[in-house]
Amino acid sequence: MTTTVGIGLLGCGTVGASVADRLQRDRERIVERAGVSYCLRAIAIRDCMKRRPESLERELFTTAARAVADDPRVDVVVELIGGLDDAADLVERALRRGRHVVTANKDLIGTQGPQLRRIAESAGASLRYDAAVGGAVPVLRILEEALAGDEILRVTGVLNGTCTAILSAMEAGSSFEKALADAQRLGYAEADPSNDIAGIDAAHKLAIIAQTAFGAPLLSPQIPTKGIRGITQADVANARSRGLRTRLVASLERTAQGVRASVAPVVLPEDHEFARTQGVENAVQIDARAAGRLTLRGDGAGGSATASSVLGDIVAVLRTIAPAASILATA
Ligand code: HSE
């Protein structure tokens, strides 16, 4: 008997298209890694006219997102719509029906993570969101798995690629507006980039880190947040003339009074780990009692980098299904 796990995709934008394409093209390698076969059953989209990767047959596409979340042939729902409007309802619906969910949605986990985890737990479903923080940089996985036996003291990082791209381009002489338009063209910025610029995107990610590192039910609206809108070309040039660079830094610390978190632009010496981030790069420093300081860096946004992390979560979920599938196969 062969078991095939059904996958349903919600959203086919920059990240979704990359994930769907890799699921189809790299099937052999992914199945070998996961230990179980899978089938991409459907992809929910909004815009029927948009061009899609050639590897995706037309029959896969539907505008009925709810039908994908409810489809009994779908065991794993991959939510890549983003934002809260439709995604929140669809993810909750899928979890309540016992579907495993993989999402890259930082807005959703940053504002509703603790509640969604409770729903997943009581339905016996997995909820994975490694791609919501750090793009290809496995921040949550390190906190959750590698450092599971340690005590996390502090996590700080440059967590928004759009802000880094804008600030590093401004340091090279670009205007704020041109740098933002470039980040949008390259697929780093959100469709509405106001959350990127206002620091809210970084606050969502910091809340998710707090939930993971400290088990704290911290939600992003509780984090004092300041963005980069007010930073001018003159500010950046002035800092550069003093050997300094400006970056949006997210900080999280365990204190005797509880968890302290903030997001704000910071001026740093140019040889600092965070100051050396360029373009879409994210950098994260984790201080743990026994492990000391770990520094992670890499592409924090963009279709292919984020898809790598989403696919890692999909394989992790498939592996949890694989042992049951192989027991069934030999029964
Ligand atoms: N808009 C986000 C960023 C995308 O610029 O970092 C990745 O979460």
Side-chain angles (χ1 to χ4, degrees):
M1 185 183 135
T2 315
T3 301
T4 298
V5 178
I7 299 179
L9 204 63
L10 306 177
C12 196
T14 311
V15 179
S18 192
V19 168
D21 188 48
R22 294 272 310 279
L23 282 172
Q24 299 298 69
R25 286 186 194 276
D26 293 350
R27 168 180 305 280
E28 213 174 305
R29 188 149 36 102
I30 295 172
V31 168
E32 195 184 304
R33 290 267 173 95
V36 69
S37 176
Y38 66 84
C39 175
L40 181 56
R41 305 258 189 232
I43 305 174
I45 52 169
R46 275 203 201 106
D47 179 359
C48 296
M49 303 308 286
K50 202 165 155 184
R51 252 185 96 123
R52 309 291 173 183
E54 276 167 22
S55 59
L56 307 174
E57 305 97 60
R58 274 173 161 269
E59 298 70 50
L60 283 172
F61 293 101
T62 171
T63 51
R66 272 196 165 192
V68 175
D70 292 353
D71 187 339
R73 300 170 312 141
V74 167
D75 307 288
V76 182
V77 171
V78 182
E79 185 277 305
L80 298 169
I81 297 171
L84 296 174
D85 291 347
D86 298 327
D89 169 59
L90 290 165
V91 165
E92 184 172 336
R93 201 176 166 88
L95 287 173
R96 287 197 189 282
R97 283 168 167 68
R99 307 289 188 272
H100 304 292
V101 171
V102 171
T103 177
N105 193 329
K106 53 267 165 113
D107 306 46
L108 182 60
I109 306 299
T111 57
Q112 300 176 29
Q115 176 202 335
L116 290 170
R117 276 195 299 279
R118 278 195 295 276
I119 295 171
E121 210 168 295
S122 62
S126 310
L127 171 62
R128 300 196 64 103
Y129 41 82
D130 206 58
V133 179
V137 189
V139 182
L140 300 184
R141 220 171 271 243
I142 299 278
L143 291 169
E144 205 162 48
E145 294 172 19
L147 296 174
D150 208 328
E151 187 191 354
I152 315 289
L153 305 172
R154 197 161 174 261
V155 184
T156 46
V158 169
L159 297 173
N160 183 273
T162 301
C163 286
T164 306
I166 291 172
L167 292 167
S168 55
M170 284 171 77
E171 284 164 357
S174 171
S175 69
F176 188 103
E177 283 68 26
K178 174 167 184 324
L180 172 58
D182 286 345
Q184 286 177 299
R185 187 173 42 78
L186 292 165
Y188 307 154
E190 303 301 309
D192 170 3
S194 37
N195 275 8
D196 289 309
I197 293 162
I200 294 168
D201 179 86
H204 289 321
K205 292 167 180 167
L206 194 64
I208 300 171
I209 290 175
Q211 294 166 20
T212 308
F214 301 144
L218 185 71
L219 302 179
S220 42
Q222 298 166 321
I223 299 177
T225 299
K226 189 169 172 225
I228 63 164
R229 199 49 176 127
I231 296 173
T232 64
Q233 183 76 56
D235 295 331
V236 172
N238 183 25
R240 286 299 296 126
S241 71
R242 292 182 289 136
L244 303 169
R245 291 185 191 274
T246 314
R247 293 291 180 268
L248 186 76
V249 176
S251 311
L252 181 69
E253 195 173 2
R254 193 199 286 277
T255 71
Q257 288 73 42
V259 173
R260 191 160 52 205
S262 67
V263 174
V266 174
V267 177
L268 302 151
E270 60 191 0
D271 60 350
H272 189 283
E273 282 288 348
F274 297 164
R276 290 194 288 108
T277 51
Q278 292 290 322
V280 76
E281 222 179 359
N282 279 194
V284 179
Q285 281 184 339
I286 303 170
D287 291 300
R289 191 167 298 286
R293 173 163 291 178
L294 307 183
T295 304
L296 311 170
R297 59 192 307 137
D299 281 0
S304 125
T306 311
S308 165
S309 182
V310 172
L311 285 157
D313 271 349
I314 293 174
V315 169
V317 170
L318 291 176
R319 282 178 178 159
T320 67
I321 302 173
S326 57
I327 288 164
L328 281 176
T330 52

